């Protein structure tokens, strides 16, 4: 507990609690389980993608093509279901598979050619988005088969199935990051890339892996999204990447690399979600909403940093003779 | 060793693209009208890209740059359109409007700079927050509508030419030169690079990195404001999303121009050439009637291709250089 | 016909279903009438991008430009320049600055259309009193704002007991946003009786949320949407009625009128345009109205395919 | 000593753009020997070991043989698999990871593990630290450790590999005498077990204390390999630098007026009740065990750490310094101990790194930097500290560790401060350069500058300083005038903390 309070995530958790309290005071409906489940369900898609983005950001990279990739995968599975039918398994395989392939393309350029990730992904964003919209003309894919829609309606113990996928993605990512060598390699590359190679890591394999992993998450998110929306809008993910990146960074991941956690990222996603949800629940007038969101983000991140700084400053570096340890 | 290889290569790429466009559409692409049109189009984007570049040099990013442009523009538009300060003479209101743009920009830059430099929040978060905030304020001010109907005289900034050179182009050239001198020729500019290269070492070298960062964000916002002056004139109105499509494009131009996204290195000339490349691709392909989505795809591909080329030639270069040294050493020995 | 004309038809943006449908119509007209139609627009609904493209197409050389402006005022200078170079300048879908266009092709009379949406709402609610909300595409979309403003003014007069619970709510032109915001709305305003969705994804997202809550019978959703997208929700009853015109027809009409103008023909009230029908022309001699909107209901929606 | 050949290098060369770092090196390492590699800064020592470690690819033409069988390493992992373990000069650790992982992760990779078994890793790390007599909390983030402890972690990491060849590139540069002794005990044990150790150090006493054979490199060339018994310090130095160098003992001279006075400086968790006076023209040594809080005191004077209470007076005037910029403006300069993270602008040129403190003086009245002045300035300082290679436009990353340190020194010497604080200034600097730096510091003091020299190297402190303060656990434990100080007395105060502050002048 003490460790949690001192951790990097504590600040953002505190802010979320504070916000929730404020909203609840204005409108108690906020704290009902059905509203909370709604918030969760409606943020599973950015949440799942954020899990992949987390890995990329830990290595000091960034992927701005996730919006385009997610849209492309929704189109791929949408077309597939409408034209070929398929079943749940094949849809997941196709979605995650095509996502992973798109991610691997990014990974290839980053890992093998050493091109800065932002350049690669800005490029592939234009290419994927352009290609996908050229091909679909932006038309929606409706007529998603009923079996798939039914799948999207499944609830287990009252919990929408989509939330379980988010939980699954989070658990998997946590496990990868904490208990696999490649996951630790992600941190190592983010902390000191030269040292990572010298320690024996294959940096290019790690990079290739994590961009593909992000692609895989994007694919999963695309399937989950389609199961919620029941149709495919190729334009639905315009500027989605910003939401995802914001969530991960809000959650304490360091854009310079080396730091970040699954728990923090989930908190980052939730913070954005709570703000969005609260805007309407707290009856904030439309034309004020963006001002409120911007101000909250600025305040929250500032508070977080200031609090961290104070803690750093008070840190005991030296066990000074005659001074109580950690003391006083 | 540091050199200008990247910039030479970008010039080469630009030349090749110009040649291709000229071959594909000789009468139209090379027409005086088109050249002038491009010269009118490029400056606003170029100035924003320079504003983005200086922030990227310090290892940051400014996602609020276009929102700042729009907000400053909107403030000025209220004056230009006579909605506030009714009764001011035209000259007065234009001068006032430009003053308001610059002052607003400085204030917006100060906010970003303060939170980045003095509070120490990651630039990407700060500017994402301020982007939302600025858009919110613009939206609140305009209720989403456009503020338009400016005095004719104000059109001069965006639409007139002096001896055949568009006024915005002249403004851009001046700004690019100033930025070049500031960044690459003055102690202040060197400090900007140093802060980007290693902020800790900068602190230990006695550089006031807080002040430098603050100045950088203000400079960036000023660029956004100046781009706003031109856009306001060219588009005859101000709206919350004024120039929003330049945001990611400007990041693309800066990295295409060889600036290190992690900060510390990058040249003004590189950014300028990159802006020109993007302009020529966009205009040239439009003239050829290519579908906009295909243009996007081609632009994306060129971005990756140029960087790939850069890296491959770097590798080759270092191999060639080492071979040379071996030869020299052997001849000596 | 002596010369094959080149006509640029520019939507607000490309890559969305609505403007895709217009493209089909515009290209079809080009084929039918033997002119060269270029249908091109920016990929984001950004006025600056639109201006640049028009400038480039002026360089390319076209005979007519018909544009659906993202920001009418922003296009005035470039359209004026086009006019100076002898290009026929018109607008379609959304009006540009009246003083520069020679023809303004409208699907609909904005006032009539705005009011129509409110009439539909009252009809669907079955009463003219109670709380309702508006979900719009984006707060900065000029044409959506016009319709809403007309509708609100009309409601104040005609349905004084209708109570708008909060200002128009933006949905980013995205179904999932409309869906999410509707869920929040339903919680924040439990007495809500109706929702108007303005912008094509908005009613769909709203209907989906209402359906998920099982509130079809309590909350009436109406609005502007394409029939293909509406069909499932119209049939489930979550969407009571949607209303729109045929965007393909609008594209067709735009090109057809451009050709007439280029050929020096008059455009007059009551004129019959083949494949489109009879058009209204206002007294200003510029504004052309294609006709009334079509309402799509569970019963008729299958007859349409766009 | 086993005479069996283990690893041979034949005609190894390495060329960087513009620099021939290694030129046809032929040498061998025997099983179970401690082999020292010495040479001036930039001689090519680090480059050689990087090649052995697979971290750099040698020029074509050369060969490495292990047990007579040619090998080539395309990736460090291949060298690890051949049981060659390394601590690098720049440590090459992960600042963002815990001590456990820093120690064990490369071992895991070598083993081809896929999963992380935290418990097992913890016990492996614990064992390695125990070998070094170390007590570091395993869960600490590496970046929270002092430089010395980081260095020990790097050594511990090399120890967990079941290596046949252990390469240590300047492992002792920030270690205290105690820690060095502990390390040497470990090395002896490993050697007894048949492991070969390749050891790089600029501290020649260490070289003589531990090595069986000594290889000297000069300008990338193999000067020769000698048995320890064949050499003495003087001979070794002349082999290294091609001339003779004497380690100067400086006289204590009279000093000027009080320049910097520190009174009752206190910062919770850092240091307590620090009071001392620095005089004009004086070199004040600040020594003690690593982690005694010397760096913190220095950074408090430099405005990097804001003390809770206490006063600092410069020339009798109280200073309230809250930023490094203010300190610099007041004439205080500080050369930090961590070269890579605090000192260098990596990715920038030597010229950039040299000129950063003097930029304003290189500009004309319009504020534009004058290229001619810049060139003169940079050229002067390259020459003055004989930075090699003398290429102003070469990236600082590409210089050897010692030359990088010289560049940092130069930029502050050029600033002509009133008070100069140097934190471990001769870390990783060769004997030649080291005595040049001592000379420089003395000259500066003679010009009236007050210098605080933080150093863990007692011979250096004794040779150069006029007065010596010893710190222990955040407090000043003792003070010795030059004439009165001996290594024994200082060590005694540093470890046990003699309360008697002698000669408070
Ligand atoms: N990446 C690089 N690019 C170019 N030159 C390099 C690079 N790394 C090292 N050099 C050059 O190679 C030469 C040998 O450097 P090396 O680091 O091996 O020296 P060293 O003997 O370890 O010196 P020190 O004692 O100062 O650490 C130096 O001249 C150095 O500038
Ligand atoms: N940023 C930090 N956060 C937490 N603890 C730190 C930090 N920096 C240093 N320490 C701790 O402070 C102690 C002192 O380290 P430091 O090297 O600063 O002391 P020092 O006496 O100045 O060292 P030296 O004797 O090498 O000059 C170390 O034990 C280290 O664990
Ligand atoms: Mg070295
Ligand atoms: Mg220290």
């Amino acid at each position: 507990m003490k460790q949690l309070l001192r951790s990097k995530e504590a600040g953002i958790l505190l802010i979320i609690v504070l916000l929730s309290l404020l909203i609840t005071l204005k409108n108690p409906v906020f704290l009902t389980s059905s509203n909370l489940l709604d918030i969760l369900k409606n943020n599973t898609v950015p949440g799942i993608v954020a899990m992949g983005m987390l890995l990329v950001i830990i290595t000091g990279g960034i992927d701005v093509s996730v919006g385009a990739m997610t849209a492309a995968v929704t189109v791929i599975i949408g077309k597939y279901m409408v034209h070929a039918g398929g079943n749940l398994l094949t849809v997941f395989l196709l979605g995650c598979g095509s996502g992973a392939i798109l991610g691997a393309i990014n990974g290839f350029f980053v890992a093998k050619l050493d091109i800065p990730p932002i350049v690669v992904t800005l490029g592939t964003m234009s290419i994927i988005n352009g290609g996908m919209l050229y091909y679909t003309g932006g038309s929606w894919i409706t007529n998603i088969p009923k079996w798939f829609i039914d799948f999207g309606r499944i609830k287990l113990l009252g919990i929408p199935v989509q939330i379980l996928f988010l939980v699954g993605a989070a658990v998997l990512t946590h496990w990868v990051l904490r208990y696999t060598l490649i996951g630790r390699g992600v941190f190592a590359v983010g902390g000191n890339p030269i040292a990572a190679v010298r320690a024996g890591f294959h940096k290019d394999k790690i990079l290739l892996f994590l961009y593909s992993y992000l692609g895989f998450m994007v694919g999963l998110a695309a399937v989950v999204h389609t199961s919620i929306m029941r149709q495919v809008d190729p334009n639905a993910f315009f500027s989605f990447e910003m939401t995802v990146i914001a969530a991960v960074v809000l959650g304490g991941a360091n854009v310079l690399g080396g730091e970040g956690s699954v728990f923090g990222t989930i908190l980052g996603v939730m913070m954005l979600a709570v703000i969005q949800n609260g805007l309407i629940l707290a009856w904030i007038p439309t034309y004020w909403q963006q001002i409120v969101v911007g101000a909250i983000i600025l305040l929250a991140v500032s508070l977080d940093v200031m609090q961290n700084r104070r803690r750093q400053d008070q840190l005991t570096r030296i066990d000074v003779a005659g001074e109580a340890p950690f003391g006083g | 060793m540091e050199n200008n290889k990247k910039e030479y290569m970008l010039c080469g790429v630009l030349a090749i693209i110009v040649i291709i466009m000229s071959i594909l559409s000789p009468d139209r692409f090379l027409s005086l009208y088109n050249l002038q049109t491009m010269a009118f189009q490029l400056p606003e984007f170029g100035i924003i890209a320079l504003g983005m570049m200086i922030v990227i040099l310090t290892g940051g990013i400014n996602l609020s740059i276009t929102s700042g442009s729009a907000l400053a523009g909107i403030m000025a538009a209220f004056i230009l359109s006579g909605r506030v300060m009714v009764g001011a003479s035209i000259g007065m209101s234009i001068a006032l409007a430009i003053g308001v743009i610059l002052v607003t920009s400085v204030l917006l830059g100060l906010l970003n700079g303060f939170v980045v430099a003095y509070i120490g929040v990651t630039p990407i978060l700060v500017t994402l927050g301020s982007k939302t905030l600025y858009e919110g304020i613009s939206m609140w001010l305009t209720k989403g509508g456009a503020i338009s109907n400016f005095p004719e005289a104000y059109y001069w900034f965006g639409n007139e030419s002096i001896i055949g050179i568009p006024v915005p182009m002249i403004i851009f050239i001046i700004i690019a030169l100033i930025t070049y001198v500031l960044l690459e020729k003055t102690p202040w500019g060197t400090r900007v690079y140093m802060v980007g290269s290693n902020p800790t070492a900068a602190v230990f070298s006695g550089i006031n990195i807080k002040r430098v960062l603050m100045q950088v964000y203000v400079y960036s916002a000023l660029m956004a404001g100046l781009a706003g002056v031109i856009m306001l004139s060219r588009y005859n109105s101000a709206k919350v999303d004024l120039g929003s499509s330049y945001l990611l494009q400007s990041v693309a131009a800066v990295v295409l121009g060889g600036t290190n996204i992690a900060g510390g290195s990058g040249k003004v000339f590189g950014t300028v050439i990159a802006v020109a490349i993007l302009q020529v691709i966009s205009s040239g392909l439009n003239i050829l009637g290519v579908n906009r989505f295909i243009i996007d795809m081609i632009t994306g591909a060129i971005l990756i291709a140029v960087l790939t080329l850069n890296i491959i030639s770097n590798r080759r270069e270092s191999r060639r250089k080492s071979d040379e040294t071996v030869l020299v050493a052997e001849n000596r020995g | 016909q002596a010369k094959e004309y080149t006509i640029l038809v520019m939507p607000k943006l490309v890559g969305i279903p609505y403007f895709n449908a217009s493209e089909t119509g515009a290209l079809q007209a080009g084929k039918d009438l033997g002119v060269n139609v270029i249908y091109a627009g920016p990929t984001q609904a950004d006025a600056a991008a639109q201006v640049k493209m028009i400038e480039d197409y002026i360089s390319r050389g076209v005979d007519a430009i018909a544009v659906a402006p993202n920001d009418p005022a922003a296009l005035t200078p470039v359209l004026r320049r086009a006019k100076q170079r002898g290009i026929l300048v018109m607008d379609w879908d959304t009006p540009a600055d009246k003083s520069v266009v020679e023809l303004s092709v409208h699907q609909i009379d904005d006032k009539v259309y705005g009011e129509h949406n409110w009439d539909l709402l009252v009809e669907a609610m079955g009463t003219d009193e109670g709380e309702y909300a508006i979900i719009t595409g984006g707060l900065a979309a000029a044409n959506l704002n016009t319709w809403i403003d007309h509708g609100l003014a009309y409601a104040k007069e005609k349905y004084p007991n209708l109570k708008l619970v909060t200002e128009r709510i933006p949905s980013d032109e995205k179904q999932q946003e409309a869906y999410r915001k509707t869920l929040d709305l339903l919680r924040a305003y439990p007495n809500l009786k109706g929702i108007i969705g303005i912008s094509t994804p908005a009613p769909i997202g709203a209907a989906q949320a209402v359906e998920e809550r099982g509130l079809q019978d309590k909350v009436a959703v109406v609005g502007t949407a394409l029939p293909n997208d509406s069909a499932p929700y119209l049939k489930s009853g979550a969407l009571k009625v949607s209303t729109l015109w045929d965007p393909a027809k609008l594209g067709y009409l735009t090109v057809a009128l451009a050709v007439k103008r280029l050929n020096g023909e008059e455009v007059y009230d009551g004129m019959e345009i083949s494949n489109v029908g009879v058009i209204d022309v206002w007294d200003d001699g510029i504004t052309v109205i294609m006709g009334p909107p079509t309402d799509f209901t569970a019963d008729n929606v299958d007859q349409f395919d766009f | 000593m086993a005479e069996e050949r283990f690893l041979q290098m034949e005609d190894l060369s390495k060329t960087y753009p513009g620099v021939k770092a290694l030129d046809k090196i032929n040498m061998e390492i025997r099983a179970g020997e401690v082999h020292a590699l010495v040479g001036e800064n930039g001689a090519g020592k680090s480059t050689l070991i990087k090649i052995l470690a697979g971290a750099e690819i040698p020029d074509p033409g050369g060969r490495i043989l292990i047990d007579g069988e040619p090998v080539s390493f395309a990736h460090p992992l291949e060298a690890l698999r051949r049981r060659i373990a390394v601590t690098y000069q720049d440590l090459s650790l992960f600042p963002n990871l815990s001590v456990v992982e820093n120690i064990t992760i490369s071992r895991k990779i070598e083993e081809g593990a896929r999963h992380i078994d935290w418990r097992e890793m913890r016990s492996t790390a614990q064992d390695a630290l125990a070998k070094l007599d170390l007590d570091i909390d395993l869960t600490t983030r590496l970046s929270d450790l002092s430089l010395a402890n980081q260095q020990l972690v790097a050594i511990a990491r090399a120890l967990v590999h079941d290596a046949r060849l252990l390469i240590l590139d300047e492992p002792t540069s920030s270690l205290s005498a105690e820690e060095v002794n502990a390390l040497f005990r470990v090395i002896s044990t490993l050697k007894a077990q048949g492991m070969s150790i390749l050891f790089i150090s600029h501290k020649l006493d260490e070289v003589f204390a531990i090595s069986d054979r000594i290889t000297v490199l000069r300008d990338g060339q193999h000067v020769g390999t000698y048995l320890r018994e064949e050499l003495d310090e003087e001979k070794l130095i002349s082999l290294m630098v091609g001339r003779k160098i004497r380690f100067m003992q400086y006289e204590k001279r009279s000093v000027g007026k009080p320049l910097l006075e520190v009174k009752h400086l206190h910062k919770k968790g850092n240091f307590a009740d620090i009071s001392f006076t620095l005089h004009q023209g004086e070199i004040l040594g600040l020594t003690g065990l690593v982690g005694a809080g010397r760096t913190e005191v220095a950074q408090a004077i430099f405005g990097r750490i804001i003390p809770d209470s206490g006063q600092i007076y410069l020339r009798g005037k109280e200073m309230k310094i809250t930023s490094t910029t203010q300190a610099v403006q007041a004439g205080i300069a500080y050369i930090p101990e961590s070269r890579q993270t605090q000192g260098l602008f990596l990715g920038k040129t030597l010229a950039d790194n040299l000129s950063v403190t003097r930029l304003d003086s290189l500009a004309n009245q319009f504020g534009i930097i004058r290229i001619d002045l810049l060139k003169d300035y940079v050229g002067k300082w390259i020459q003055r500290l004989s930075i090699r290679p003398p290429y102003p436009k070469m990236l600082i990353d590409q210089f050897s560790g010692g030359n990088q340190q010289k560049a940092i020194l130069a930029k502050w010497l050029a600033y002509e401060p009133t008070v100069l604080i140097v934190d471990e200034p001769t870390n990783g600097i060769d004997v030649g350069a080291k005595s040049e730096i001592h000379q420089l510091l003395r000259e500066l003091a003679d010009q009236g500058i007050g210098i605080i020299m933080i150093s863990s190297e007692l011979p250096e402190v004794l040779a150069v300083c006029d007065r010596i303060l010893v710190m222990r656990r955040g407090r000043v434990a003792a003070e010795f005038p030059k004439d009165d100080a001996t290594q024994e007395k200082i060590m005694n105060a540093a470890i046990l903390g003699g309360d008697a502050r002698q000669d408070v002048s």
Side-chain angles (χ1 to χ4, degrees), chain D residues 46 89 169-170 401:
Chain D
S46 296
Q89 188 172 9
D169 193 351
E170 296 193 32

Short mmCIF file of all heavy atoms in Angstrom, two decimals, chain D residues 46 89 169-170 401, ligand 3:
data_model
loop_
_atom_site.label_atom_id
_atom_site.label_comp_id
_atom_site.label_asym_id
_atom_site.label_seq_id
_atom_site.Cartn_x
_atom_site.Cartn_y
_atom_site.Cartn_z
N SER D 46 39.73 0.89 -25.28
CA SER D 46 38.30 0.57 -25.26
C SER D 46 37.87 -0.04 -26.57
O SER D 46 37.05 -0.96 -26.62
CB SER D 46 37.47 1.83 -24.99
OG SER D 46 37.76 2.32 -23.71
N GLN D 89 33.56 0.97 -20.21
CA GLN D 89 34.00 2.21 -19.59
C GLN D 89 32.82 3.13 -19.27
O GLN D 89 32.78 3.78 -18.24
CB GLN D 89 34.97 2.93 -20.54
CG GLN D 89 35.65 4.14 -19.92
CD GLN D 89 36.73 4.69 -20.83
OE1 GLN D 89 36.87 4.28 -21.98
NE2 GLN D 89 37.50 5.61 -20.33
N ASP D 169 36.90 -2.53 -18.21
CA ASP D 169 37.41 -1.28 -18.78
C ASP D 169 37.30 -0.17 -17.73
O ASP D 169 36.22 0.32 -17.44
CB ASP D 169 36.60 -0.91 -20.04
CG ASP D 169 37.28 0.19 -20.84
OD1 ASP D 169 38.26 0.77 -20.35
OD2 ASP D 169 36.82 0.46 -21.97
N GLU D 170 38.41 0.17 -17.15
CA GLU D 170 38.46 1.17 -16.08
C GLU D 170 37.40 0.94 -15.02
O GLU D 170 36.56 1.79 -14.76
CB GLU D 170 38.34 2.57 -16.67
CG GLU D 170 39.54 2.86 -17.56
CD GLU D 170 39.66 4.32 -17.93
OE1 GLU D 170 39.27 5.14 -17.09
OE2 GLU D 170 40.15 4.60 -19.01
N GLY D 401 37.18 8.23 -23.87
CA GLY D 401 36.69 8.73 -22.60
C GLY D 401 37.55 9.84 -22.03
O GLY D 401 37.04 10.87 -21.56
MG1 LIG E 3 38.51 3.98 -23.03
#
